[in-house]
Amino acid sequence: MGKKKLQHFAENKTFQHYFEASFSDISEQGSPMAGRWNDSFFCNNGKLVVEIGCGKGEYTIGQAKRFLENNYIGVDIKGARIWRGAKTIQEENLKNAAFIRSQAGLLHLWFAESEVDEIWITFPDPQPGSRKNKRLTSPRYLSMFKKFLKPEGVVHLKTDSRELFEYTNEMISENNLQVVNRVDDIYGTLTDGPLCEIRTFYENMWLAEGKVISYVAFQIDKLN
Ligand SMILES: C[S@@+](CC[C@H](N)C(=O)[O-])C[C@H]1O[C@@H](n2cnc3c(N)ncnc32)[C@H](O)[C@@H]1O
């Protein structure tokens, strides 16, 4: 492993707003943070918004700066990517943002039932072809997310992948889920607002290639 990566991993552990745990530490009782994010960490009653597969954290940080009344937590499995966002929190002294290094499928150990108001899934790996149940918008993952999302909570997906966007809309329709908003071509439709003004690392790459970026927001309370 590269020296820089090791330095970033070590620095992550010094940030008060960075969390990670081994599976054996949280598998039985969950993280001690579960159910306590607002009371013990953010110390306010703001909405709790979680970005899954946040990469370097541009969307988490962008939203946290824009909506100071809410609390934002970015989650990714790759600590070296999260480091960038965690470092920005420190440099800019942001009080309403944090990062967790975790597998998406373990998030029910990090959050209590109905603790989270919104989930953002930004430019997830599309998992093409037959790997459908690895998609973060598959019923398998959404059923896990339902454990900690409020019943009226919303899942937001931003993607460049036609296949993933169509798959997600079919999944919404097959499960009779409520669509809250849908924009098939964000940059061909909107000229301002957070949806087109906060851009992630991958989003900027896909935009430079001329790809269409799509968005759908939906509720998952009716999912079995
Ligand atoms: C294509 S990148 C997008 C990153 C960022 N959202 C962006 O738009 O720049 C997908 C990210 O999801 C993370 N990821 C993929 N599967 C994951 C999982 N099961 N749990 C947590 N993170 C995951 C990867 O490590 C990667 O950083």
Side-chain angles (χ1 to χ4, degrees):
M1 191 180 298
K3 199 172 160 194
K4 207 165 189 180
K5 221 175 201 183
L6 288 172
Q7 277 171 356
H8 289 172
F9 286 160
E11 194 172 5
N12 275 345
K13 292 183 199 291
T14 69
F15 298 135
Q16 289 195 343
H17 47 268
Y18 173 89
F19 297 82
E20 65 175 31
S22 68
F23 178 67
S24 58
D25 280 347
I26 60 171
S27 59
E28 280 180 24
Q29 299 194 333
S31 160
M33 292 308 297
R36 300 176 57 229
W37 286 101
N38 276 3
D39 284 353
S40 303
F41 182 73
F42 294 113
C43 303
N44 63 44
N45 288 323
K47 275 189 180 177
L48 189 58
V49 181
V50 174
E51 182 190 3
I52 302 179
C54 67
K56 298 182 181 189
E58 292 88 356
Y59 218 80
T60 290
I61 298 281
Q63 293 207 95
K65 283 183 178 179
R66 197 176 266 249
F67 305 109
L68 295 173
E69 69 280 17
N70 296 341
N71 301 319
Y72 293 89
I73 301 180
V75 176
D76 203 286
I77 192 59
K78 296 200 174 149
R81 289 190 182 173
I82 289 183
W83 171 84
R84 182 54 270 169
K87 186 78 176 168
T88 302
I89 290 180
Q90 186 194 49
E91 288 166 349
E92 303 194 15
N93 197 23
L94 286 174
K95 301 288 185 212
N96 63 334
F99 287 94
I100 299 175
R101 183 179 182 192
S102 172
Q103 279 283 358
L106 297 180
L107 285 180
H108 59 288
L109 299 171
W110 284 96
F111 298 103
E113 190 180 332
S114 295
E115 188 172 16
V116 171
D117 293 90
E118 286 179 37
I119 291 173
W120 281 81
I121 305 175
T122 53
F123 302 89
D125 300 322
Q127 306 288 359
S130 60
R131 294 182 297 181
K132 289 192 176 66
N133 72 352
K134 289 194 173 167
R135 293 177 180 164
L136 291 179
T137 57
S138 65
R140 171 176 164 250
Y141 270 106
L142 292 176
S143 300
M144 292 182 215
F145 302 159
K146 190 181 156 186
K147 291 181 187 167
F148 55 86
L149 187 67
K150 291 193 167 90
E152 69 279 15
V154 175
V155 175
H156 305 258
L157 168 71
K158 241 181 150 182
T159 183
D160 60 291
S161 163
R162 293 303 84 217
E163 188 179 347
L164 182 72
F165 192 57
E166 278 164 25
Y167 166 83
T168 304
N169 285 308
E170 277 165 26
M171 182 282 303
I172 288 170
S173 162
E174 279 165 16
N175 290 284
N176 292 316
L177 306 184
Q178 180 73 38
V179 173
V180 177
N181 193 5
R182 173 174 163 167
V183 185
D184 286 31
D185 178 2
I186 293 179
Y187 293 93
T189 313
L190 306 176
T191 49
D192 58 8
L195 208 50
C196 59
E197 287 168 2
I198 306 175
R199 297 182 186 176
T200 72
F201 178 80
Y202 274 84
E203 185 166 9
N204 279 326
M205 272 191 349
W206 303 138
L207 280 172
E209 289 186 15
K211 288 194 175 178
V212 169
I213 308 297
S214 302
Y215 166 75
V216 63
F218 55 100
Q219 292 182 312
I220 55 174
D221 55 320
K222 289 196 193 128
L223 196 67
N224 288 321

